């Protein structure tokens, strides 16, 4: 089967999709999943073109577990980055990629905090050749974010 893509003209075509998929797959090896054995890797592209990696990190108490997508976002935000273009998500049992691995609801909500849902691209990949590209708005219709509170200007990057 060939590439399964859903693209928007002028945006997705310019993404470094292959590099992002490679980074997300690499991040699977860093996942800490002694309980579920479900490894997830993420690669987050910021507006300046830097790719931030993330992996899921489990905890015996389960609630403190952090998803790969949030790990990537929090890593970038902790370095002062506030503008993002796209994210790749891959995952599977023991890191074996067999199907698409979509972000959970909490991760989608974190994306809403930092991304324009009409423009931010979410790429779900099975491998380098098979992937889907959707907007955050397609994954989280009628999402609630900073704009609903009149706070969109808060996304400005902080001074170093």
């Amino acid at each position: 089967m060939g590439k399964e893509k859903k693209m928007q003209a002028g945006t997705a075509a310019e993404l470094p999709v292959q590099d992002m998929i490679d980074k997300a797959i690499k991040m699977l090896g860093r996942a800490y999943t002694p309980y579920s054995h479900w490894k997830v890797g993420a690669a987050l592209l910021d507006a300046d073109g830097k790719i931030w990696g993330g992996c899921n990190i489990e905890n015996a108490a389960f609630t403190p577990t952090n998803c790969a997508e949030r790990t990537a976002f929090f890593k970038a935000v902790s370095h002062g980055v506030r503008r993002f273009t796209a994210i790749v998500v891959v995952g599977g049992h023991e890191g074996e990629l067999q199907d698409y691995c979509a972000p959970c609801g909490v991760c989608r909500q974190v994306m809403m905090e930092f991304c324009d849902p009409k423009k931010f691209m979410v790429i779900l990949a099975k491998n380098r050749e098979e992937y889907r590209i959707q907007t955050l708005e397609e994954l989280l219709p009628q999402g609630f974010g900073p704009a609903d509170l009149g706070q969109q200007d808060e996304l400005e990057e902080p001074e170093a």
Side-chain angles (χ1 to χ4, degrees), residues 80-136:
V81 179
R82 299 284 192 278
R83 300 210 179 274
F84 304 97
T85 306
I87 192 166
V88 167
V89 182
V90 298
H93 189 263
E94 295 295 353
E96 302 249 351
L97 306 180
Q98 297 178 355
D99 205 352
Y100 298 109
C101 182
C104 74
V106 175
C107 288
R108 294 175 196 201
Q109 188 60 47
V110 168
M111 291 175 198
M112 278 294 298
E113 185 68 24
F114 296 103
C115 306
D116 180 339
K118 292 179 185 336
K119 295 178 182 176
F120 186 73
M121 297 284 139
V122 180
I123 304 162
L124 309 179
K126 291 183 186 181
N127 54 52
R128 293 184 98 234
E129 291 77 37
E130 295 178 273
Y131 54 90
R132 294 180 182 165
I133 300 177
Q134 299 171 278
T135 64
L136 176 56

Side-chain angles (χ1 to χ4, degrees), residues 4-150:
E4 184 177 337
K5 296 188 245 183
K6 186 174 183 181
M7 291 190 167
Q8 290 190 341
T11 55
E14 300 167 6
L15 297 175
V17 175
Q18 300 301 315
D19 292 340
M20 294 176 69
I21 291 172
D22 289 344
K23 178 73 168 189
I25 291 171
K26 179 180 178 185
M27 295 309 298
L28 289 170
R30 296 189 181 169
Y32 176 74
T33 59
Y35 310 106
S36 74
H37 304 284
W38 188 267
K39 297 180 182 303
V40 180
L44 176 64
L45 181 67
D46 71 24
D48 292 329
K50 182 173 180 178
I51 299 173
W52 299 84
C55 61
N56 55 326
I57 304 164
E58 292 183 345
N59 186 287
F62 291 112
T63 301
T65 294
N66 202 55
C67 297
E69 302 91 311
R70 284 182 283 146
T71 299
F73 268 94
F74 297 162
K75 185 187 309 183
V77 169
S78 72
H79 285 268
V81 179
R82 299 284 192 278
R83 300 210 179 274
F84 304 97
T85 306
I87 192 166
V88 167
V89 182
V90 298
H93 189 263
E94 295 295 353
E96 302 249 351
L97 306 180
Q98 297 178 355
D99 205 352
Y100 298 109
C101 182
C104 74
V106 175
C107 288
R108 294 175 196 201
Q109 188 60 47
V110 168
M111 291 175 198
M112 278 294 298
E113 185 68 24
F114 296 103
C115 306
D116 180 339
K118 292 179 185 336
K119 295 178 182 176
F120 186 73
M121 297 284 139
V122 180
I123 304 162
L124 309 179
K126 291 183 186 181
N127 54 52
R128 293 184 98 234
E129 291 77 37
E130 295 178 273
Y131 54 90
R132 294 180 182 165
I133 300 177
Q134 299 171 278
T135 64
L136 176 56
E137 184 175 57
E138 290 170 314
L139 288 178
L140 188 63
Q142 299 179 341
F144 185 83
D148 294 296
L149 299 174

